[in-house]
Amino acid sequence: MEKESNFAEWYIEAIDRAGIVDRRYPVKGMNVWMPYGLRLMRLINGFMRDEMARTGHEEVQFPVLVPEDQFQKEADHIKGFGANVYWVTHGGLNPLDVRLLLRPTSEAAMYSLYSLWIRAHTDLPLRLYQIAPVFRYETRQTRTFIRVRELSFFFESHTAHENFDGAEEQIREDLEIWEHLARKYALPALFNKRPDWDKFAGAHYTVGVDAYVAAPGRAMQVASIHQYRDNFARVYDVTFEDRRGERQYAHQTTYGISERVLGAEVAIHGDDRGLILPPEIAPIQVVVIPILAKGAKGRILAEARAFEGEIADKVRTELDVREMRPGAKFYEWERKGVPLRVELGLDEIEGDHVTLVRRDGTRRRKVSRADAPKRIQAMLDRIQRDLYRKAERELREGIHTIDAYGDAPPKGIIRAGWCGKESCGLAMEDKLNRGMLGTPYFGEEFRGRCLECGDATDTVAYAANSY
RNA sequence: GGGGCCGUAGGGUAGCUUGGUCAUCCUUCCAGCUUCGGGAGCUGGAGACUCCAGUUCAAAUCUGGGCGGCCCCA
């Protein structure tokens, strides 16, 4: 299993061997979440819920089915999603008068209710989110977690504000939320304002949150944020009475994240032995493996149980008492990405210590039995930080600033001047053989020339192949 | 949208060109014994030719179609 030489195959194999999803479900692009994978996603989603709670959003749950007439209201939106929706055309044997579709995203489902819920400026801002499945009939090749037909865990936050600035403020908060999540997920990323030709269907503008997968040298969008202005409010009639008693359209934003995050975890942190999970999202943070020896089985087991019991209230643990040789267990837990392993056998008992092994390293270290619980927590914190830093370094080193096409390396993210003209941007995409990620949302100091036309510009653009 | 390729056990595969004995090997799974500091061993057992039709004495193998999957180009 070699990540560097054959990334695509490695990725699939790493997922299969970790037991996250079963890909054999007989519908293309739809996977079955197995217990370990579900625990992982619940931890990942838990941090989104924490962030939503911290920032005062509330959770809701809308139906999966959307009536066709609701969906048809926003022209650009249909253009973007029309070819990718699953239709429900019959109720039993009878054709439906109004066809229903499985939501590919929930604007159409939610905004008809938003127009009822929002009456006056006192109802704003309205900030709701849900984590629920959405369906997209993808015609391109599907890829587990990255491009699927059923997104099992689609986080989507939909906010409504009194005016454009209110929505802008929301977007800044969304990006700050990502910074928090990024620490938990160990997924540093760039915030790129997408070029107009690549924005979300119906949006005023889109910000992509782009992580970087070093092995294939490709970007991976792990979150998207959209400024709708009043585009959707006008078609779904989301209006309110302002302070002066005048009717106004609400300004809206959305924030979307999915199990792609898990795809990024696998792709970015994994190695030839399998997954490496950041401790924050690891269903099992510490696995305790007793090394049984003839004649001392009972004693070793009792000791391992006692030790696990001591740390179990502080970290998520698993005591592996199965009838397997230790080596086989090591490999298995490594495949599953468990960040820290404790080995406990006769050696440890006699020396009054335990042996700790980090998943993201190879060194074994002996730690005194008394200090071990505290040391374990410190090591988990350390692993979390180290994984973030490693990904951050890979991202930084993956960016190549160039001022001539000839300088573009075969892999990685390109950073270059862009005058902002669409014709130049498209030409750059073509000649770089990369998609435009866009321009940094918060801007960057830059003085240079447009890579295509040579005009002086103070704007940089990023381009990369992406997932 | 256009073109190409492929469906053999839970996973990975050989066999297919040139039809012919009990469909190969690895892994996995089950039972027992045994072993336990990096994928142990022994014995026994379980498990597959994508579906339909055709050609033929005989089809995993040839032909056609369905279904499913993969890749490349636009």
Side-chain angles (χ1 to χ4, degrees):
Chain A
M1 198 158 77
E2 290 187 356
K3 188 180 186 184
E4 288 301 325
S5 60
N6 191 344
F7 181 78
E9 247 171 56
W10 169 87
Y11 176 76
I12 287 299
E13 203 179 330
I15 291 167
D16 284 347
R17 295 172 67 159
I20 302 171
V21 289
D22 198 316
R23 297 183 301 108
R24 292 171 300 180
Y25 189 74
V27 180
K28 180 185 167 78
M30 300 193 182
N31 299 309
V32 177
W33 289 86
M34 295 190 288
Y36 188 67
L38 193 56
R39 285 166 70 189
L40 235 174
M41 273 320 295
R42 285 202 201 289
L43 287 159
I44 287 173
N45 291 332
F47 288 114
M48 296 175 202
R49 290 196 163 93
D50 289 349
E51 284 298 311
M52 289 291 101
R54 180 180 69 80
T55 52
H57 292 66
E58 289 199 281
E59 187 166 11
V60 293
Q61 185 89 55
F62 274 73
V64 176
L65 294 177
V66 183
E68 180 169 16
D69 51 339
Q70 281 299 317
F71 179 70
Q72 300 290 10
K73 284 185 175 174
E74 219 288 333
D76 288 339
H77 197 55
I78 313 162
K79 219 183 286 165
F81 282 101
N84 303 47
V85 299
Y86 281 95
W87 288 99
V88 176
T89 59
H90 286 69
L93 298 176
N94 303 318
L96 295 171
D97 291 339
V98 177
R99 298 192 298 168
L100 302 169
L101 58 104
L102 300 184
R103 58 181 174 215
T105 172
S106 300
E107 281 75 4
M110 294 174 93
Y111 297 165
S112 58
L113 273 288
Y114 272 38
S115 87
L116 301 176
W117 291 343
I118 297 169
R119 310 286 299 278
H121 68 90
T122 50
D123 296 318
L124 299 174
L126 181 66
R127 307 198 298 162
L128 304 175
Y129 74 99
Q130 67 178 9
I131 301 179
V134 297
F135 299 84
R136 297 173 183 180
Y137 184 78
E138 295 287 352
T139 50
R140 299 171 63 192
Q141 190 195 350
T142 56
R143 211 187 286 270
T144 310
F145 307 141
I146 296 173
R147 183 176 295 114
V148 289
R149 287 181 167 182
E150 177 178 10
L151 276 154
S152 308
F153 302 96
F154 187 55
F155 162 93
E156 48 183 329
S157 162
H158 294 256
T159 68
H161 308 267
E162 288 186 52
N163 50 43
F164 186 76
D165 287 343
E168 287 291 280
E169 198 177 308
Q170 181 61 52
I171 284 166
R172 286 191 293 274
E173 180 180 79
D174 290 348
L175 292 171
E176 185 236 357
I177 286 170
W178 178 266
E179 293 291 2
H180 286 222
L181 293 176
R183 294 288 165 175
K184 302 292 184 186
Y185 301 160
L187 293 178
L190 304 173
F191 300 147
N192 288 308
K193 185 171 175 182
R194 293 278 184 261
D196 276 348
W197 64 87
D198 196 31
K199 66 188 183 187
F200 181 80
H204 175 54
Y205 70 77
T206 289
V207 183
V209 177
D210 298 307
Y212 180 65
V213 189
R218 296 169 78 165
M220 190 186 292
Q221 181 173 340
V222 285
S224 34
I225 296 162
H226 310 294
Q227 162 66 276
Y228 288 164
R229 206 166 49 183
D230 56 2
N231 295 355
F232 281 88
R234 285 176 184 274
V235 295
Y236 289 98
D237 199 32
V238 182
T239 61
F240 65 96
E241 197 176 305
D242 71 13
R243 281 154 229 267
R244 290 166 315 194
E246 281 168 31
R247 188 138 299 271
Q248 304 281 355
Y249 287 111
H251 282 68
Q252 294 174 276
T253 78
T254 58
Y255 191 177
I257 307 177
S258 75
E259 60 255 44
R260 246 173 189 251
V261 163
L262 180 51
E265 301 287 4
V266 174
I268 290 171
H269 296 303
D271 68 10
D272 288 355
R273 284 179 293 160
L275 264 56
I276 298 179
L277 294 175
E280 294 278 12
I281 61 161
I284 299 167
Q285 296 171 307
V286 179
V287 61
V288 179
I289 299 184
I291 314 289
L292 303 173
K294 199 189 238 161
K297 253 179 149 169
R299 202 169 132 221
I300 294 166
L301 265 179
E303 193 53 43
R305 283 216 170 81
F307 183 77
E308 195 241 6
E310 245 173 75
I311 58 173
D313 60 332
K314 297 187 192 72
V315 293
R316 294 185 286 273
T317 62
E318 172 96 8
L319 175 66
D320 190 350
V321 296
R322 290 173 303 169
E323 290 286 328
M324 290 165 60
R325 315 231 335 189
K329 293 181 182 177
F330 296 165
Y331 281 108
E332 182 173 326
W333 294 113
E334 282 168 359
R335 266 179 254 140
K336 290 175 113 53
V338 174
L340 195 59
R341 176 174 86 229
V342 176
E343 300 174 20
L344 208 161
L346 270 185
D347 247 32
E348 283 76 9
I349 293 178
E350 279 158 17
D352 196 32
H353 63 259
V354 295
T355 299
L356 304 180
V357 187
R358 281 172 61 150
R359 174 62 182 85
D360 61 335
T362 47
R363 252 179 61 213
R364 285 182 149 73
R365 60 193 92 187
K366 296 185 194 317
V367 171
S368 93
R369 170 62 210 259
D371 292 345
K374 209 178 281 174
R375 290 290 298 278
I376 282 172
Q377 289 200 71
M379 278 174 83
L380 289 172
D381 290 345
R382 189 62 193 275
I383 293 167
Q384 182 74 33
R385 278 202 306 277
D386 286 353
L387 288 177
Y388 183 90
R389 282 197 194 128
K390 178 164 174 283
E392 199 178 33
R393 196 183 62 236
E394 288 176 352
L395 169 60
R396 200 170 50 237
E397 290 172 356
I399 298 170
H400 308 277
T401 302
I402 63 169
D403 46 26
Y405 284 117
D407 298 336
K411 293 198 328 188
I413 300 174
I414 297 299
R415 178 175 177 272
W418 178 36
C419 65
K421 283 203 296 284
E422 180 165 330
S423 56
C424 284
L426 292 172
M428 284 161 67
E429 286 195 332
D430 195 47
K431 292 180 187 169
L432 291 168
N433 195 26
R434 286 168 166 88
M436 190 73 98
L437 297 175
T439 54
Y441 185 75
F442 292 114
E444 270 174 36
E445 279 295 316
F446 184 78
R447 294 246 156 262
R449 303 191 164 277
C450 173
L451 188 61
E452 175 63 18
C453 68
D455 286 356
T457 179
D458 56 5
T459 301
V460 269
Y462 287 83
N465 285 124
S466 38
Y467 284 107

